[in-house]
Amino acid sequence: MAGNSKRFANEKEIHYQLVMKPSLADLALGQAAEIVSIDCDRSISRRLMEMGLIPGTEVRVVRVAPLGDPIELRVRDYALSVRRAEAARIAVVPARAA
Amino acid sequence: MNPRAGTPEILIAGNPNSGKSTLFNALSGGSARVGNYPGVTVDRTTATVRLSARQVALVDVPGMYSLTANSPEEQLAVDALVASETRAVVCVVDATTLQRGLYLALQLRESGVPVVVALNMMDAAERMGLRIDTDHLSESFGAPVVPVVATKRQGLDALLNAVEGQLGLTSPVDAPSVSYPAALEADLSELVPLVEQWRPGASSQQTRAVALWSLLSLDEDSLRGVPDSLRIAVQELRSAAIAQGRNPDLEIIATRYAWIEEQVSRASSNPDPKPSVSERIDNVLTHPVFGLVVFAIVMFLIFEALFTWAEPAIGFIEGLTAALQGQVAGSLPDGVLQDLIVEGIIAGVGNVIVFAPQILLLFLFIGFLEDSGYLARVAFVIDRVMKGVGLHGKAFVPLLSGFACAIPAVMATRTIERRRDRLVTMLALPLMSCSARLPVYILVVGTVFAGATLWWFSAGAVALFAMYTLSVVVTLTAAAVIRRTILPGPAPTFMLEMPPYRWPSAQILWINAWRRLRIFLVDAGTIILAMTVLLWALLSFPKSDEIAVRYSQERATVAQMDLHPDEAARLVAALNAREASEQLEQSVAGRFGHALEPVLRPIGFDWQIGVGIIGAFAAREVFISTLGVVFGIGETDQENKPLRQALREARHSDGTPVMTPLSGVSLMVFFLLACQCMSTIAVVRRESGAWKWPAFLFAYMTVLAYTGSFLVYQGGRLFGFE
Ligand SMILES: Nc1nc2c(ncn2[C@@H]2O[C@H](COP(=O)(O)OP(=O)(O)OP(=O)(O)O)[C@@H](O)[C@H]2O)c(=O)[nH]1
Ligand SMILES: [Mg+2]
């Protein structure tokens, strides 16, 4: 997932917007995005929200574990790691490359 | 549970890693007492502190992100809040992650309890270039906000003054005015009458807070003591809301965060942000290559410490125990009392203290990893592997420690947050091949595989390697099975904060490790001591007078013979050993071993090994000394030639040898899989909070061990091995 998306950034983005909702798990390393919705089990969604991941919040994937999962996010001035399974249920809109 | 009911209590609450324990220790000066919350094994640390006008009890509450609760464990904080002793809460907020910390502070304020916000880590915030206007925050939250640096003891006086000020308040300060959406307010007003029934004396502000809490917490919860009418009302309101496309959880949380964002944007600024050091450290420590290398080195160090560094201390304690036993045996007359003291009580105390070095070392290590922030990275790096068997990344260190000893390893499961994950880990890890199994393997291998080779390896080495591999496979499988059967539940998640790297304080590491050790010595120690005495009684009684008389006659005969003193001493020692063996055979344990023989034959053992297994319950390595007594050899260790010889010469009643390569492997498998360790039972009892878990552990491991040995022995015979 990470790092190989430079060239196809645009194509991918179009694909995301038309075909599927992009999720946190689809983000490239270092890419910023805004949360759109969280669709995990209630207790997990609630925990994520109470930790500050709310629709409209900006997040960034800052690291991927050596074995590919989990991933580390930067949100509201702290670092949180989640498994890809949860990240895939957090819909985002990628921010334009800065 | 509360030792001093009536003393006003001040809770120290806050996000995990916000510095609660550091602040607690700084304020209490090490006068802490550790207790337990009823029902769930979470430590409850309290300390008495003198304020200028009165005495109060500080309580270190487990870390939390919110008061919302789903499980009895999360309910602790809420229960503590409504406890009648609670007068105020110090909410520790990490100034570097202000918004998330203030979310909890806001929830606390809404509940109506007097709050003092300790804005901690101000040193780190300043290094990052953050500026925070505490006056503005104080005003908007209706609570004093005091900047502190817990590690440097800065701001503590101001904090205590603020607490005293809150205790002296005559009327409560109004909660911050957060305005929730109209639809949500309507939901709340439906819940209010039900809350009023539940909590009759509550103020309108408290009632509103409980209604909010119920809406956010209830439905699919396992909370205790919540009235059903309230739960049902919440369920109905929630489904009605969802049908309209609303999400009450989101409405509540988003409104709170919006309010907080507004306050924070007014109160804090960072004109000149500095890059964080943690990022750069992490670029190495979680790097795909270096990250794994560092990980391997750190884990190896823990392993090495538990195995090698603890060894001299363990040897010293064992030596001391033996010396004391010798001393007492020499100064007391022979008899039951002497035996009780020497082999029951002193041995029992020794059995407890002998774990101290490993427990201290492991907890110093874990404390360092935890407080420095690296433990979260360990979990991050290895979670992928643990996920496969339904475990949390944080289960890795306890599992690894299981190779050394299950006792500290079970205690180390405390670092895992969720009780369910903790239980799965502690029920599986006693299957890791601990160091006490090694002497048994070595004895067996030396007895049945001496000089044998398998291809171009020595057969013994192959057997040993197979045991360790098997232990890892079985442990992980057991974890996966337990997770799916005994302890099913919502899919485990990871969701872990990666705290910034910090240099831990040596003093706090020591205080914490020492506290853990003390809990073990007192709580698990009493169980271990009692079991040692019981086991001693089973192996010693009843005593046969006939045997005693017969051997004293034989000794008298030896004394009358005209022998060289050395020769006479040798003969007497041999007589003593044979007497002990005969006495053991007709003791309760010996009879039990005989009675078990029909069950033991199908797995290749006889009654003598059965007695050894019973004795080994004290600790696996005791198997060897018990066998020494059974075979009338006296003092032995795993390298002991006469014991190996005696084992090789042992015969079943039909004349076939007891110890063959096949029954040897069967015996090793049995020791690998059986819960032959009362200390494990005791510590699992302490850490799980109920006898049913160690009972289950013992039962399933025994069944597993018997089945495993049966398959090995009978399967081997089918294939023509002996
Ligand atoms: N720089 C700095 N570090 C601090 C301060 N207070 C605590 N720490 C460090 O923060 C880390 C966590 O502190 P703890 O006191 O263990 O935090 P806690 O809130 O008790 O954590 P949990 O019990 O895990 O919830 C430790 O490494 C402390 O040394 C502070 O004021 N400044
Ligand atoms: Mg703590």
Side-chain angles (χ1 to χ4, degrees), chain B residues 15-22 63 120-121 123 149-151 371 502 504:
Chain B
N15 289 170
N17 270 303
S18 55
K20 297 176 298 300
S21 303
T22 312
N120 194 27
M121 316 255 181
D123 53 338
V149 182
T151 38
D371 287 0
R502 297 190 179 106

Side-chain angles (χ1 to χ4, degrees), chain B residues 12-25 60-64 92 94 96 119-125 127 148-154 367-368 370-373 394 417 499-506 508-509 512:
Chain B
I12 301 198
N15 289 170
N17 270 303
S18 55
K20 297 176 298 300
S21 303
T22 312
L23 185 66
F24 176 89
N25 284 316
D60 190 3
V61 178
M64 57 190 161
V92 185
D94 177 348
T96 65
L119 205 53
N120 194 27
M121 316 255 181
M122 283 306 283
D123 53 338
R127 271 200 302 277
V148 296
V149 182
T151 38
K152 295 182 190 141
R153 314 179 61 95
Q154 287 170 12
F368 184 85
E370 205 170 19
D371 287 0
S372 66
K394 280 197 174 173
E417 274 127 79
Y501 289 103
R502 297 190 179 106
W503 193 254
S505 126
I508 291 197
L509 291 185
N512 284 339

Side-chain angles (χ1 to χ4, degrees), chain B residues 380-713:
Chain B
F380 181 68
V381 167
I382 206 68
D383 180 65
R384 178 69 205 272
V385 178
M386 308 312 288
K387 182 179 73 169
V389 291
L391 288 175
H392 190 278
K394 280 197 174 173
F396 186 80
V397 171
L399 283 184
L400 180 78
S401 313
F403 269 135
C405 177
I407 312 312
V410 166
M411 293 172 71
T413 57
R414 282 182 175 251
T415 51
I416 306 169
E417 274 127 79
R418 296 200 323 176
R419 178 174 162 80
R420 194 181 298 276
D421 297 342
R422 212 155 56 216
L423 277 174
V424 174
T425 313
M426 91 175 64
L427 290 175
L429 76 79
L431 285 165
M432 294 294 276
S433 190
C434 69
S435 58
R437 282 155 165 120
L438 192 56
V440 179
Y441 299 155
I442 291 176
L443 172 71
V444 173
V445 163
T447 303
V448 298
F449 289 130
T453 56
L454 196 63
W455 303 300
W456 51 93
F457 301 109
S458 87
V462 174
L464 273 184
F465 182 76
M467 285 305 129
Y468 279 91
T469 315
L470 183 64
S471 103
V472 174
V473 173
V474 176
T475 308
L476 297 182
T477 314
V481 172
I482 293 173
R483 160 117 262 155
R484 280 172 186 71
T485 54
I486 315 293
L487 288 163
T493 51
F494 187 67
M495 235 193 283
L496 189 64
E497 185 193 347
M498 305 272 112
Y501 289 103
R502 297 190 179 106
W503 193 254
S505 126
Q507 190 202 356
I508 291 197
L509 291 185
W510 178 252
I511 290 179
N512 284 339
W514 174 244
R515 243 177 231 162
R516 294 255 59 82
L517 177 61
R518 215 172 47 192
I519 290 173
F520 169 80
L521 292 179
V522 175
D523 291 5
T526 38
I527 304 177
I528 296 176
L529 178 59
M531 289 207 228
T532 309
V533 173
L534 179 70
L535 214 52
W536 162 79
L538 290 180
L539 289 157
S540 318
F541 295 101
K543 289 226 181 283
S544 154
D545 286 339
E546 184 271 321
I547 296 174
V549 169
R550 180 151 47 82
Y551 276 93
S552 61
Q553 281 167 357
E554 289 204 29
R555 274 190 294 266
T557 321
V558 171
Q560 280 162 9
M561 289 194 289
D562 185 21
L563 290 171
H564 188 273
D566 288 351
E567 179 65 10
R570 202 184 55 75
L571 275 177
V572 169
L575 281 175
N576 288 345
R578 286 221 318 267
E579 179 183 3
S581 164
E582 280 192 40
Q583 287 286 15
L584 176 56
E585 182 170 357
Q586 58 84 52
S587 70
V588 176
R591 288 167 206 217
F592 194 54
H594 271 292
L596 277 181
E597 194 161 81
V599 186
L600 295 177
R601 276 308 293 273
I603 56 175
F605 310 159
D606 67 348
W607 73 270
Q608 293 171 308
I609 296 194
V611 175
I613 291 175
I614 295 170
F617 196 59
R620 291 181 176 90
E621 65 270 23
V622 173
F623 179 68
I624 292 152
S625 53
T626 312
L627 279 189
V629 178
V630 172
F631 284 105
I633 294 166
E635 289 286 299
T636 48
D637 62 34
Q638 68 268 24
E639 307 289 352
N640 185 293
K641 294 270 157 49
L643 179 56
R644 289 182 182 181
Q645 202 53 43
L647 274 171
R648 281 190 207 116
E649 284 164 6
R651 290 288 178 272
H652 287 298
S653 46
D654 58 8
T656 54
V658 175
M659 291 305 289
T660 61
L662 187 59
S663 67
V665 173
S666 166
L667 185 58
M668 287 201 284
V669 168
F670 188 87
F671 263 86
L672 170 64
L673 300 177
C675 189
Q676 277 299 313
C677 177
M678 61 181 188
S679 308
T680 303
I681 303 271
V683 81
V684 170
R685 159 72 186 82
R686 170 63 179 76
E687 298 294 314
S688 67
W691 276 108
K692 72 173 177 189
W693 293 115
F696 167 72
L697 177 73
F698 182 74
Y700 101 79
M701 284 182 69
T702 306
V703 169
L704 198 63
Y706 191 83
T707 317
S709 292
F710 186 87
L711 290 178
V712 166
Y713 191 68

